[in-house]
Amino acid sequence: MLPSWLKKTFAVFLDIVEMYIPILAFLCIFVCFLTQIVSRYFLSPLMWPEELALICFLWAALLGALYAKRSDSMVAFSMIYDAVGPGMQRAMRLFGNILLAVALSISFKPSLDYVLFMGFRSSATIGIPLNIAYSCYLIFLVDIIIRYVVDIINDLRSFKSDKSRSEAS
């Protein structure tokens, strides 16, 4: 097992990535939105707030989705899932998680190559290197793949424990 200080450090790091960075990104979007309104109606129109808002939207959406996955509050269309029994639900969840973990894992290397490739380009008006702007996707991929693998392991463990309980009775 991990030492308690390492668990706490890891939990704080996850909170920063999954909650506080998206909060700051959303705040930045809001400030950019207000800046655009003021500049458009009282000064001359500015281009940089729109570009910064788009980059912040990427960060807020992707990293915010990680928090939604952690808190199990992602939107799901579950009519069929809710209609079947617990064993079939576990099998469906296991299949879906394996499918997503494999697909996202396969996409990691091309995504990494693209983000590294975009390092030579900068955004048009504010000059942020595009590899930094797009790096949130790599953070998203690593975190979500780990979460799906953990879900797969938990479902396999619960399947095995249910099977051993049914054999014991």
Side-chain angles (χ1 to χ4, degrees):
M1 292 302 286
L2 294 172
S4 65
W5 66 269
L6 187 59
K7 285 182 183 179
K8 288 178 185 176
T9 304
F10 191 64
V12 168
F13 177 73
L14 281 179
D15 283 346
I16 290 170
V17 169
E18 296 175 351
M19 285 193 320
Y20 299 121
I21 292 175
I23 288 169
L24 290 174
F26 188 76
L27 180 65
C28 184
I29 293 168
F30 183 71
V31 169
C32 288
F33 178 69
L34 292 178
T35 304
Q36 281 181 303
I37 291 171
V38 170
S39 69
R40 183 172 295 138
Y41 290 107
F42 300 111
L43 307 168
S44 62
L46 299 173
M47 292 302 297
W48 67 265
E50 181 178 355
E51 189 171 286
L52 184 59
L54 288 172
I55 292 170
C56 287
F57 176 76
L58 283 173
W59 282 80
L62 289 173
L63 299 183
L66 295 174
Y67 182 74
K69 174 69 176 146
R70 174 170 59 163
S71 63
D72 201 29
S73 59
M74 295 184 91
V75 174
F77 300 101
S78 60
M79 286 177 29
I80 297 172
Y81 179 82
D82 291 340
V84 299
M88 188 59 165
Q89 285 181 346
R90 186 180 307 114
M92 291 169 71
R93 197 172 49 243
L94 190 61
F95 177 73
N97 288 343
I98 289 171
L99 186 67
L100 286 168
V102 168
L104 292 170
S105 297
I106 290 170
S107 76
F108 182 78
K109 175 70 167 100
S111 299
L112 176 64
D113 290 343
Y114 182 74
V115 169
L116 293 175
F117 169 73
M118 293 306 286
F120 77 94
R121 295 192 61 199
S122 297
S123 62
T125 57
I126 51 179
I128 293 176
L130 291 180
N131 62 342
I132 292 172
Y134 297 152
S135 64
C136 62
Y137 185 68
L138 296 176
I139 297 167
F140 169 79
L141 277 179
V142 169
D143 191 314
I144 203 81
I145 289 169
I146 291 170
R147 290 195 182 278
Y148 280 127
V149 168
V150 168
D151 287 349
I152 290 166
I153 291 168
N154 289 338
D155 280 340
L156 288 173
R157 283 183 183 158
S158 68
F159 181 71
K160 190 180 279 190
S161 68
D162 285 353
K163 192 174 183 181
S164 64
R165 269 189 254 146
S166 67
E167 289 173 358
S169 35

